[in-house]
Amino acid sequence: MANPHAGEVALVVDGERLVAKLTLGALAELEARLEADSLADLVARFEGDALRARDVLMLVCAGLRGGGWRGDLPDLLSAEIEGGPLEAARVAARLLVLAFRVSG
């Protein structure tokens, strides 16, 4: 079960419920894959109007890997994500919000 207080989001991939979380390692991996110069550049990329499906997929992949999944991007390219592209985009957005929220 995903714990949003710990930055976790659930996603069903190929019928398996997985937990995604943007750990520091997952963010570093995502920065490298997207060739972002900083965390600020990374966040700006997802806030802009030029968001691509590949960006969403890479963010979801990084989050799943941060949650302990041992797959990689090629595995997601051929996977069935429950809820389709809209759910993948929702999970990606939620991961970013949880990773960068200021707790009070």
Side-chain angles (χ1 to χ4, degrees), residues 23-80:
T23 61
L24 188 56
L27 286 166
E29 180 180 310
L30 186 59
E31 269 183 350
R33 285 188 177 196
L34 293 175
E35 299 177 0
D37 291 329
S38 68
L39 280 176
D41 287 343
L42 183 67
V43 171
R45 182 175 184 141
F46 287 97
E47 289 178 336
D49 294 335
L51 187 62
R52 301 177 313 176
R54 183 170 171 80
D55 296 342
V56 170
L57 203 56
M58 282 194 264
L59 176 56
V60 168
C61 183
L64 288 172
R65 290 173 57 78
W69 182 62
R70 295 293 166 227
D72 207 347
L73 192 58
D75 301 310
L76 276 184
L77 290 172
S78 60
E80 177 68 32

